Amino acid sequence: MFSSETLERYGIPSSSVLSKILKKLSEYGIVEKLGRGRYEIVDPIFEQYARKRFSN
């Protein structure tokens, strides 16, 4: 998830920015941290949005 390819693909400037994004999403109960570098989307509405928004 934190690879340079993934960051570039989704237009995220750095891994520190991604960490901040994931922390906020976790605080809002949208994602849950499963382990080191592993997250799961727990909000079904956000998951649908993300799939539509970021599908290639």
Side-chain angles (χ1 to χ4, degrees):
M1 176 181 293
F2 291 90
S3 71
S4 59
E5 294 85 18
T6 301
L7 296 174
E8 185 177 317
R9 179 177 180 189
Y10 295 106
I12 301 169
S14 67
S15 59
S16 64
V17 170
L18 179 56
S19 292
K20 289 176 187 178
I21 292 168
L22 290 170
K23 182 178 179 184
K24 278 295 180 186
L25 290 173
S26 182
E27 289 173 6
Y28 291 130
I30 295 171
V31 300
E32 183 177 298
K33 186 172 185 174
L34 301 177
R36 187 172 182 220
R38 294 185 57 225
Y39 291 82
E40 176 181 66
I41 299 174
V42 294
D43 182 309
I45 294 170
F46 183 77
E47 182 175 13
Q48 287 179 358
Y49 164 78
R51 288 188 187 278
K52 287 179 183 178
R53 170 70 170 86
F54 298 108
S55 66
N56 292 330

